[in-house]
Amino acid sequence: MARLSVDDYAGQAGGGDEGASEQVRIDDPGYLVGVPDEFQRLWTPHRMVYIQHGQQPGKDDCPFCVAPTMSDEDALIVARGKYAYALLNLFPYNSGHVLVCPYRHFALYDEATPEEVAEIGSITQTAMRVIREVSKNDGFNIGLNQGAIAGAGIAAHLHQHIVPRWAQDANFLPIIAKTKALPQLLGEVRKAIADAWPADEPADRSE
């Protein structure tokens, strides 16, 4: 269908009312912005918080210190141990992106106590097993970004990334558009992982 102008409409309507021709316009929908088409849109408005407010919080606003004071659901925590805990990344690379954090506020891995190192490792292993069970992923990226210069989003509080990977999860979106397709909401992912977490791991939940 060709685009219809004001004059076209006036002519179809009889063309006798100049006032009507100035107030009415009919367009072929193919020319209009927002008309449904074959493209799919990925909406990620939650990332505006990350983009607009920067990556480094103030010393008194560390999210990894605040999270344990909140409910598991509100903080996206999936498991709590004695020295460390696991929670979902609020800005995930993939669905099921888990962070393992010590409760104590420190920046670098070599500042961790032997007990913290042991429990971070134990929780990481359990998280891998649980994520594999829940998500049927094919592999993992696991790593610690040490310091802002190394890409740590929250540089002042140590946290280990556990990112599930699937054989087909690399496509044009992250490569060209810097966009990840995340098929599950964070609350749904948290519940699935928390429900599948073994009741006896971490075994010691005491203070």
Side-chain angles (χ1 to χ4, degrees):
M1 180 188 293
R3 185 167 185 163
L4 299 178
S5 67
V6 171
D7 291 338
D8 292 330
Y9 178 84
Q12 292 176 10
D17 188 343
E18 293 184 0
S21 69
E22 293 174 357
Q23 297 175 14
V24 179
R25 180 187 183 106
I26 299 178
D27 289 318
D28 172 9
Y31 288 92
L32 299 180
V33 175
V35 172
D37 53 33
E38 69 274 17
F39 293 102
Q40 300 297 315
R41 275 73 179 178
L42 296 177
W43 303 102
T44 58
H46 62 279
R47 290 195 64 84
M48 287 305 296
V49 177
Y50 186 77
I51 293 169
Q52 290 178 342
H53 296 287
Q55 299 183 20
Q56 300 299 329
K59 183 178 180 180
D60 297 329
D61 300 318
C62 174
F64 299 140
C65 291
V66 173
T69 70
M70 303 166 62
S71 70
D72 288 356
E73 291 77 10
D74 289 341
L76 300 175
I77 292 174
V78 298
R80 297 177 187 248
K82 182 176 181 179
Y83 301 103
Y85 67 99
L87 76 168
L88 293 188
N89 190 342
L90 186 59
F91 306 104
Y93 298 144
N94 269 343
S95 291
H97 181 169
V98 168
L99 304 175
V100 181
C101 305
Y103 293 112
R104 190 167 63 90
H105 185 85
F106 62 95
L108 301 177
Y109 188 63
D110 60 358
E111 298 173 8
T113 66
E115 293 80 10
E116 288 166 337
V117 169
E119 190 164 80
I120 288 171
S122 176
I123 291 176
T124 297
Q125 288 184 326
T126 302
M128 291 175 63
R129 299 184 186 110
V130 172
I131 293 170
R132 190 185 297 115
E133 175 187 341
V134 170
S135 302
K136 304 297 187 290
N137 58 300
D138 302 304
F140 294 93
N141 289 118
I142 296 177
L144 294 159
N145 298 322
Q146 302 283 279
I149 193 66
I154 308 296
H157 196 129
L158 184 76
H159 55 285
Q160 177 155 275
H161 293 263
I162 306 173
V163 183
R165 299 298 304 272
W166 290 265
Q168 305 300 322
D169 72 0
N171 53 42
F172 77 94
L173 285 170
I175 295 170
I176 297 176
K178 303 298 183 184
T179 301
K180 289 293 298 185
L182 302 171
Q184 287 184 289
L185 297 176
L186 288 172
E188 295 174 352
V189 177
R190 191 215 69 82
K191 186 176 188 306
I193 295 176
D195 288 350
W197 199 276
D200 58 345
E201 293 188 36
D204 191 348
R205 295 171 181 270
S206 63
E207 294 299 329

